[in-house]
Amino acid sequence: MLKQSLNLKLSQKLSPQQIQLMKMIQLPTQAFEQRLKQEIEENPALEAGKEHEEHEDYEEDYSEYDQEGTESIGTEDINIDEYLSDDDIPSYNLQTNNYSADDEEREMPYEGGTTFHQSLINQLNTFSLNDEEYSIAEFLVGSINDNGYLRRDTLDIVDDLAFTQNIFTDETKVDDILYDVVQKLDPVGVGARDLRECLIIQLENKNPTRYVELAIQILDQSFDPFVKKHYSKLLNKFEISEEELKKAIKEIEKLNPKPGSSIVGNSKIAEQVVPDFTIRINDGELELLLNSRNAPELHVSREYHNMLKGYQESRKKTKSQKDAVQFIKQKLDSAKWFIDAIKQRQQTLSITMNTIVEMQKEYLLTGDESKLKPMILKDVAEKIDMDISTVSRVANSKYCATPYGTKLVKEFFSESMKNDQGEDVSTREIKSILKQVIEAEDKRKPLTDDKLSVLLKEKGYLIARRTIAKYREQLDIPVARLRKEM
């Protein structure tokens, strides 16, 4: 049986330009500069800097042009066919010949360096190995992760050697090469299967004092009690004093749990944070500045307008000229839209950040986190009459230079909770107080989450134990047992 029904549906779709604008708003300063550079390279109708030539404003609506139409600007007739026919240009016209024979060829030097794995492979040449042993050692080095650990089973390595290297060996030989070659490489501790083995390898390479040997025994025989800080069990098992245990633990604390990071970290280029905003205090008032690199000077190419004029005055309009003028029109449209998008981006950043500064004025004037007001994305979005997603794009990727350091804009946001007087307080304030309480505790008897909850209630913050645990984890603070010290 056939049925007929009528459904009403309301949907909203974003145009490609709107999507591009949202992406541009999300970009921080450095990424925005790269996007700007890319657009200038791809669109010859877009030019950077101020125009030096005096002429009347010609930023008009290009939608009035069709393939036959153009803008009425007085200029010489330009043949578009000649402009676009690069294939007819002789190759010698594309080469520079303005250097003398004695000119030095200068090149920018690049920093040289050796990667972590390449450093390990280079060290293999210091061992006396035959071809098969070298191939196995090289394969083992390739299986080590950036932290310096070998996280694969020996049997899996034996199988991979057979399938990929055509080397048929057994687990015993692979383990021998691992222990006698790979684990002897620098930095000390690479090639270990786990943390316990990594620390023991490093201790075995130290001067064998009494406390170093005791530390090896503790890691080898009682690693689990040591990790869980069950110091009483260690004292009873090894029949030692607290002072001896302290010195053995100090030897372990000097070790590197991630030996590979000492090389991998040094080979990475340090990233520089460029603040998108700057907040200054002048005569007790806040002043917000947008990084000037977010407001570049751009204009639409005058030459492309002249080319349209040349097409209009041309009596003979070929098909290739019509195609070319359509291409020019698209580039002009794209350039005008990009300039408008940058202006809209600047306006959105300024309006959003000005509202945030106004709402957090008391905190920004003093730098006291206890004066940070509860504020969520919705609060800002309602004040500036924008979508929450727009505010989120501004907050999640932008940095702000303040008199108290450079901070992510999202750090100015926090949820609220009620204190014992019914007032809204920021969760950032509660976390700050929680951190202070933990730092001031007796490390021989750290406070449990239950005790921390009681202490905060005494300070006027009605926080449940599970909320304390959540905030403690967000602050990257371990449980009481793991904070215990001798």
Side-chain angles (χ1 to χ4, degrees), residues 73-79 306-307 309-311 313:
I73 299 177
T75 184
E76 296 180 1
D77 195 350
I78 296 177
N79 191 325
N306 293 342
M307 292 170 70
K309 179 63 178 176
Y311 174 77
E313 295 180 354

Side-chain angles (χ1 to χ4, degrees), residues 88-316:
D88 298 333
I89 301 176
S91 60
Y92 61 82
N93 283 343
L94 301 177
Q95 299 174 0
T96 59
N97 191 25
N98 56 346
Y99 295 100
S100 61
D102 57 349
D103 277 350
E104 293 184 18
E105 186 175 350
R106 300 181 181 273
E107 294 184 357
M108 181 67 69
Y110 291 92
E111 179 184 2
T114 305
T115 63
F116 170 52
H117 289 87
Q118 187 59 50
S119 171
L120 297 179
I121 291 175
N122 292 342
Q123 294 178 55
L124 294 179
N125 296 322
T126 62
F127 292 84
S128 179
L129 304 172
N130 58 37
D131 291 344
E132 181 179 297
E133 291 171 341
Y134 184 89
S135 297
I136 295 173
E138 187 178 28
F139 192 86
L140 286 170
V141 167
S143 301
I144 294 175
N145 62 23
D146 287 342
N147 289 329
Y149 288 89
L150 181 66
R151 298 295 192 182
R152 304 188 62 200
D153 293 333
T154 306
L155 184 58
D156 293 336
I157 293 175
V158 170
D159 291 340
D160 284 349
L161 284 169
F163 283 109
T164 63
Q165 306 293 323
N166 201 28
I167 297 176
F168 298 94
T169 184
D170 53 33
E171 296 179 59
T172 303
K173 188 167 185 178
V174 171
D175 284 336
D176 289 342
I177 294 176
L178 173 64
Y179 300 139
D180 298 336
V181 179
V182 177
Q183 292 186 356
K184 295 292 190 294
L185 302 177
D186 188 64
V188 179
V190 297
R193 307 297 183 100
D194 51 38
L195 177 61
R196 183 186 67 85
E197 187 178 18
C198 176
L199 298 178
I200 290 176
I201 291 173
Q202 294 179 59
L203 287 170
E204 289 176 343
N205 281 268
K206 296 185 71 173
N207 185 28
T209 64
R210 165 175 167 71
Y211 300 111
V212 169
E213 292 177 354
L214 177 58
I216 293 175
Q217 288 181 337
I218 291 173
L219 294 177
D220 186 38
Q221 302 175 24
S222 302
F223 184 72
D224 192 55
F226 167 74
V227 171
K228 295 179 178 179
K229 296 194 174 182
H230 291 160
Y231 296 137
S232 57
K233 293 184 179 180
L234 298 177
L235 294 173
N236 293 332
K237 180 172 182 177
F238 295 99
E239 298 180 351
I240 54 178
S241 65
E242 285 191 9
E243 187 63 27
E244 290 174 318
L245 181 58
K246 277 185 182 180
K247 292 183 178 180
I249 292 174
K250 280 187 178 180
E251 293 291 343
I252 298 175
E253 290 175 345
K254 297 176 185 177
L255 307 177
N256 185 1
K258 297 179 180 179
S261 62
S262 59
I263 295 181
V264 175
N266 291 336
S267 63
K268 293 182 179 179
I269 299 175
E271 296 183 0
Q272 181 181 5
V273 174
V274 177
D276 304 273
F277 308 95
T278 300
I279 296 176
R280 297 174 182 170
I281 301 176
N282 289 331
D283 298 329
E285 294 294 328
L286 295 173
E287 180 185 3
L288 176 66
L289 302 174
L290 177 65
N291 192 320
S292 60
R293 292 156 70 175
N294 288 285
E297 293 181 345
L298 299 173
H299 63 271
V300 179
S301 173
R302 179 71 171 177
E303 293 181 5
Y304 268 58
H305 283 273
N306 293 342
M307 292 170 70
L308 286 178
K309 179 63 178 176
Y311 174 77
Q312 182 189 38
E313 295 180 354
S314 175
R315 295 183 179 180
K316 183 180 179 182

Side-chain angles (χ1 to χ4, degrees), residues 381-396:
E382 289 177 350
K383 280 206 168 190
I384 62 178
D385 195 23
M386 288 187 182
D387 193 81
I388 294 178
S389 62
T390 303
V391 180
S392 176
R393 286 181 172 89
V394 175
N396 288 334

